[in-house]
Amino acid sequence: RKEVEQDPGPFNVPEGATVAFNCTYSNSASQSFFWYRQDCRKEPKLLMSVYSSGNEDGRFTAQLNRASQYISLLIRDSKLSDSATYLCVVNIYNQGGKLIFGQGTELSVKP
Amino acid sequence: NAGVTQTPKFRVLKTGQSMTLLCAQDMNHEYMYWYRQDPGMGLRLIHYSVGEGTTAKGEVPDGYNVSRLKKQNFLLGLESAAPSQTSVYFCASGDNGYTFGSGTRLTVV
């Protein structure tokens, strides 16, 4: 079983739609969590950190459920520019700061 | 402020050749990471370092070696390149939130 698993996608949605991505992690010692965005053939870029209380940044909302070992990302009012691959990332502190990525979920926003 | 710089950006190797990829960061980060990314596989952790002089194995360490002699540099070595090591290699550094270099596209023929 992979340490971090995501919906495989791709997600094809119209502009203005709301889309949700899910991610589960297997190591309960995981301490910090992130969502990254990766555009085709480019390096991943930090979208947002994920906190237990949930956090929001504009149209993006991230949630963490430690009991279920589950992370989510909600994108409201999708824009064409949101088209990218979204990567769930987990930092496992009891393995010396090991940083593990999910395989990513591809989002395509259509006009 | 250059952030994270990877060199080279592109390289073609013959099977059996060796090479070293350099990752340099100017943000005084303790943690540095090397990943490879293949189509349909996501980013897989090769090796990582939690500080100068320390290294640890990731998910796919075989065929690679690393060194962190200086805090700002993390080197990834391929002693005897194989076609299976054809990939895009990314380096990252950070302490809570991580910055990536722009990648090295390596082809082994």
Side-chain angles (χ1 to χ4, degrees):
Chain A
R1 183 187 171 191
K2 292 185 179 180
E3 292 196 74
V4 180
E5 297 202 63
Q6 294 183 241
D7 289 348
F11 284 53
N12 297 303
V13 302
E15 271 188 291
T18 296
V19 60
F21 301 138
N22 303 317
C23 173
T24 57
Y25 60 95
S26 61
N27 192 319
S28 60
S30 302
Q31 294 284 343
S32 56
F33 310 89
F34 308 90
W35 283 102
Y36 274 72
R37 169 195 170 126
Q38 186 175 27
D39 294 286
C40 186
R41 298 180 66 80
K42 298 284 187 70
E43 72 272 24
K45 293 188 177 177
L46 179 64
L47 181 64
M48 58 197 304
S49 300
V50 187
Y51 303 113
S52 295
S53 55
N55 48 300
E56 188 174 307
D57 182 2
R59 298 181 292 107
F60 299 84
T61 301
Q63 296 278 354
L64 167 64
N65 184 322
R66 286 189 184 271
S68 302
Q69 296 181 194
Y70 170 91
I71 306 160
S72 65
L73 176 69
L74 185 75
I75 305 176
R76 292 180 298 278
D77 189 20
S78 300
K79 311 291 185 191
L80 296 177
S81 58
D82 293 334
S83 297
T85 296
Y86 290 83
L87 302 161
C88 173
V89 187
V90 172
N91 190 313
I92 306 173
Y93 285 0
N94 76 344
Q95 294 185 30
K98 196 173 176 182
L99 192 67
I100 301 295
F101 281 71
Q103 74 268 34
T105 302
E106 184 181 345
L107 172 65
S108 180
V109 182
K110 306 290 188 186
Chain B
N1 187 342
V4 178
T5 303
Q6 286 184 237
T7 53
K9 295 191 183 303
F10 302 93
R11 184 75 185 268
V12 178
L13 282 180
K14 293 183 178 179
T15 298
Q17 286 185 315
S18 64
M19 77 165 294
T20 300
L21 284 67
L22 171 63
C23 178
Q25 53 101 358
D26 60 4
M27 297 172 284
N28 202 36
H29 288 153
E30 293 292 338
Y31 292 79
M32 296 187 75
Y33 303 84
W34 274 108
Y35 293 89
R36 62 178 288 173
Q37 187 170 35
D38 304 292
M41 300 290 289
L43 281 98
R44 292 183 291 168
L45 181 63
I46 304 172
H47 286 280
Y48 63 107
S49 169
V50 301
E52 182 179 313
T54 73
T55 63
K57 293 181 179 180
E59 302 168 283
V60 288
D62 294 342
Y64 304 95
N65 56 75
V66 287
S67 64
R68 184 98 181 267
L69 298 179
K70 293 183 178 181
K71 188 177 185 179
Q72 63 267 36
N73 295 335
F74 194 29
L75 278 63
L76 178 71
L78 287 73
E79 288 188 351
S80 180
S84 61
Q85 294 178 304
T86 293
S87 189
V88 179
Y89 292 85
F90 287 106
C91 172
S93 78
D95 293 318
N96 188 29
Y98 304 87
T99 302
F100 280 78
S102 57
T104 296
R105 284 161 177 76
L106 175 66
T107 302
V108 183
V109 296

